[in-house]
Amino acid sequence: MDPHLLRTFISVARCGSFSDAAHELGFTPAAVSEHIASLEADLRTSLLTRRPVMLTSAGARLLEHAGPLLLRLDAARADVERLSGSGAARLVVGASPLTMTPRIAAALDRVRQAHPATKASLRVLGRREIPAAVASGTLDLGLIDGPATPADALPLPEVGPLTAVTVAEAPLVVALPTGHPLARRLGLRLADLADAQWLDAPDAAMPLEQLRAVSRTDGFRTSLTYEGTDVRGLLSLTAAGHGLALLPHPATKGTPGIVTSPLIAPRLLHRTELLHGPAVDGPARTLAAVVTGDRHRYG
């Protein structure tokens, strides 16, 4: 299966249109149609109906494989380029918003001093974007976060071989406006908050879908959807009474207009993990050693 044909197939499946996929890819509609026909001839089965454009059962199954296959190809290219030294010295780190702490900032500064010729960049991204970008080699390292039990790692999508190492853990607290009826509680149970109104901020706070899964309820009503990554902006909405948010305690410090109460049940904490692929060297290896403190693994 030609990777170029697979990329065209994914685009058509996502767009639901040959012409829209052609515009996205910079091809003509005729070229897109030819790509799909070639892929179907190779696999000896129909992958898409034409009017309307919909996946067949075989097409749906291929789509499950196509994304991870292309990610692995991109990851292989990135690994070989690093090994051969054909790429310029670089460090590209992706971080979800709540992972950006003073400790991480200080670690980046140490790497900059150790590798002054390296071109470094930091990208603040949504949690779902980071694993695939690390697997494909777009990012050298990723920092992701989320709620977890003390014994369990954060769940990762099936995007290729990734290593996850715990970087930090912190208690989770419920952020409430100062006048909220529960503001004076010394601790709160998640199940008791299922009927409250919440801010739905999947990248700036703990995602509501995970709270529903943990509490095994359909509660946690969304009062306002926040599609940003600015945690301070999110907390200002909480202070104004738009809804509650579950956050690591350090992220809430010094915010006017809110109070916090520890989450006492279930037993969850906020975990930050470092992600990397099979090969990690150069400035990325230095940063991994600094943020994890594991000199044996990354020394």
Side-chain angles (χ1 to χ4, degrees), residues 242-268:
H242 289 285
L244 310 185
L246 186 65
L247 294 157
H249 184 245
T252 64
K253 290 182 178 179
T255 304
I258 69 162
V259 294
T260 61
S261 182
L263 181 69
I264 58 175
R267 194 181 175 200
L268 293 176

Side-chain angles (χ1 to χ4, degrees), residues 123-206:
R123 301 174 186 172
V124 178
L125 302 169
R127 294 182 180 96
R128 295 181 179 180
E129 301 174 70
I130 293 174
V134 173
S136 69
T138 303
L139 299 175
D140 299 305
L141 296 173
L143 290 162
I144 62 168
D145 72 294
T149 66
D152 294 330
L154 297 177
L156 293 176
E158 294 291 336
V159 293
L162 292 175
T163 297
V165 183
T166 297
V167 170
E169 294 179 342
L172 284 166
V173 296
V174 182
L176 314 98
T178 52
H180 195 278
L182 300 176
R184 294 187 178 182
R185 292 280 189 92
L186 298 179
L188 292 170
R189 299 176 184 273
L190 202 56
D192 297 335
L193 301 170
D195 293 331
Q197 290 194 330
W198 289 75
L199 288 166
D200 186 13
D203 289 324
M206 299 300 99

